[in-house]
């Protein structure tokens, strides 16, 4: 076997290994993205709601509905999910 044909065979084998590695990497990334998409749709589901039954405050009317997230802040700050007046 000549050295030139041996080098050509090694180059072809290396190229095939490189393409196989890249294909495996892309397959794993695709599988991970599909799994992340499934979990993100599960996170967007509503977890519940808070309904005001009665209120003596005019700012918070009875029947007001606040959607609840996994972490819902209640307080006086206007940035809270459920702002409470002073």
């Amino acid at each position: 076997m000549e050295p030139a044909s041996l080098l050509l065979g090694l180059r072809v084998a290396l190229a095939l290994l490189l393409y196989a590695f890249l294909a495996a990497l892309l397959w794993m990334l695709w599988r991970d993205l599909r799994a992340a998409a499934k979990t993100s749709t599960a996170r967007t589901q509503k977890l519940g709601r808070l309904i005001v039954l009665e209120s003596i405050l005019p700012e918070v009317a009875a029947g007001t509905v606040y959607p609840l997230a996994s972490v819902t802040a209640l307080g006086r700050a206007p940035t809270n999910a459920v702002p409470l007046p002073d």
Side-chain angles (χ1 to χ4, degrees), residues 8-80:
L8 179 63
L10 287 175
R11 284 182 186 173
V12 169
L14 182 63
L16 289 175
L17 283 174
L18 180 63
Y19 281 127
F21 173 73
L22 290 176
L25 183 68
L26 288 176
W27 179 73
M28 285 186 274
L29 286 173
W30 177 254
R31 191 177 59 179
D32 189 41
L33 282 175
R34 285 191 330 193
K38 285 181 184 178
T39 58
S40 69
T41 56
R43 286 186 194 158
T44 59
Q45 294 175 349
K46 293 183 180 178
L47 298 177
R49 58 188 179 161
L50 176 68
I51 302 173
V52 178
L53 298 178
E54 16 179 289
S55 174
I56 57 172
L57 301 172
E59 294 90 0
V60 182
T64 304
V65 177
Y66 296 101
L68 298 178
S70 59
V71 177
T72 303
L74 303 168
R76 294 185 208 166
T79 57
N80 288 329

